């Protein structure tokens, strides 16, 4: 299910051990979409947090209130500075979103696999790209406060943005934006992920044809 960003290390003021952060695109945006229309499937990101020393994956529940994700838009290559922001028209919708837990840790052996997995996620339910072209969406994970304790693991990480410190970024597949609409395509695994987080109370939009 999508690409995974190279992990980043951060010292943790909540529980002591140094933590490792990895972003994974759980639900890719559509390959082709109409200009000015809400993207479906909606971009969704899994956030993996683990103990940097033992590799044990953690729920990250103690950090939820200090982490947020920011969406940006890049050109087709995904290189260079983002196009939006700073272009306030090109990408619209809620660009900054908080994280939620993927599970409550109480899944049984008979429950769905996602209900037994650690970590958190973020979904961007109403993004729209308003000009034709070929783009990639980027999502960056930020931590509020504790800026002096974050140690970047990769070039371009560790900067300060909007009161938060950058931990990691991941980019989507290429999205072709055209003037006409396109058929909806979504993989079974992505559909299962959306159903899982919808059942946990996430704001997951319906396909445009069902609205």
């Amino acid at each position: 299910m999508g690409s995974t960003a190279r992990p980043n290390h951060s010292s943790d003021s909540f529980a002591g051990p140094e933590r490792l952060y990895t972003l994974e695109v759980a639900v890719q945006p559509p390959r082709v979409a109409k200009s000015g229309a809400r993207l479906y499937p909606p971009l969704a990101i899994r956030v993996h947090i683990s103990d940097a020393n033992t590799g044990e994956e953690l729920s990250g529940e103690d950090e939820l209130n200090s982490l947020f994700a920011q969406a940006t838009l890049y050109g087709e290559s995904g290189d260079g500075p983002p196009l939006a922001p700073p272009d306030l028209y090109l990408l619209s919708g809620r660009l900054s979103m908080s994280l939620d837990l993927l599970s409550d840790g109480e899944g049984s052996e008979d429950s769905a696999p996602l209900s037994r997995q650690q970590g958190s996620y973020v979904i961007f339910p109403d993004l729209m790209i308003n000009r034709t072209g070929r783009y990639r969406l980027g999502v960056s994970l930020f931590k509020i406060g504790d800026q002096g304790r974050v140690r970047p693991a990769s070039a371009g990480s560790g900067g300060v943005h909007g009161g938060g410190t950058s931990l990691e970024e991941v980019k989507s597949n290429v999205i072709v934006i055209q003037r006409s609409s396109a058929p909806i395509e979504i993989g079974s695994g992505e559909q299962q992920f959306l159903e899982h987080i919808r059942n946990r109370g996430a704001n997951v939009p319906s396909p445009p044809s069902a609205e």
Side-chain angles (χ1 to χ4, degrees), residues 75-157:
E76 180 179 7
S77 68
D79 298 328
L83 304 175
D87 188 327
L88 300 181
Y89 172 76
L90 182 55
L91 180 65
S92 57
R94 285 168 287 180
L95 306 186
S96 182
M97 300 294 292
S98 58
L99 278 62
D100 288 298
L101 289 178
L102 186 66
S103 72
D104 54 18
E106 298 179 356
S108 68
E109 290 300 321
D110 297 327
S111 62
L114 286 170
S115 298
R116 301 196 301 270
Q117 294 184 25
Q118 297 274 31
S120 53
Y121 72 91
V122 61
I123 183 172
F124 295 87
D126 56 4
L127 296 180
M128 293 183 289
I129 303 174
N130 299 309
R131 295 193 191 101
T132 58
R134 299 173 67 91
Y135 306 96
R136 290 181 192 266
L137 284 165
V139 174
S140 296
L141 180 66
F142 292 92
K143 187 173 184 178
I144 301 171
D146 203 30
Q147 295 172 3
R149 295 172 62 86
V150 173
R151 177 164 55 86
S154 57
S157 297

Side-chain angles (χ1 to χ4, degrees), residues 156-186:
S157 297
V160 177
H161 171 87
T165 302
S166 172
L167 297 175
E168 195 51 75
E169 182 180 36
V170 68
K171 296 183 176 74
S172 75
N173 293 339
V174 173
I175 312 166
V176 177
I177 300 298
Q178 59 187 24
R179 291 186 176 87
S180 58
S181 58
I184 294 173
E185 299 178 0
I186 182 169

